Amino acid sequence: MTSLLRNAGVGLILLGVVLVIIWVVEPLRAIWPWLMTLSPVVRVGVVVSALGLAIIMASLITERIRDREADKELLDDF
């Protein structure tokens, strides 16, 4: 499950990078109006997915911080 969530996160990050590249590179900017013609539901869905990714990543980071001490003890035992 964790692998699936991380793969989804990477996919969303790559989608964001592609959108930024489309906006920054002048010849590709012609694609931008087409993206804006997408249904508002699709655009809202992408934003909600990005927020979900941020929440998942924050939860993973806090879990790793909490388990840091246990990981250190395992390393010391080895």
Side-chain angles (χ1 to χ4, degrees):
M1 183 68 174
T2 303
S3 176
L4 175 66
L5 293 174
R6 290 185 181 167
N7 288 339
V10 169
L12 286 173
I13 291 169
L14 290 176
L15 177 65
V17 168
V18 167
L19 289 175
V20 168
I21 288 172
I22 287 173
W23 177 252
V24 171
V25 178
E26 194 69 36
L28 295 176
R29 205 175 280 185
I31 298 172
W32 194 258
W34 174 79
L35 290 173
M36 290 297 109
T37 61
L38 290 175
S39 169
V41 174
V42 173
R43 288 188 281 173
V44 169
V46 170
V47 170
V48 169
S49 297
L51 288 174
L53 173 65
I55 291 169
I56 290 170
M57 293 305 290
S59 70
L60 288 173
I61 290 169
T62 56
E63 180 182 344
R64 292 298 302 152
I65 289 172
R66 269 189 276 132
D67 293 342
R68 183 177 54 197
E69 206 51 47
D71 289 345
K72 187 176 180 182
E73 289 175 8
L74 285 174
L75 184 62
D76 290 341
D77 289 343
F78 186 64

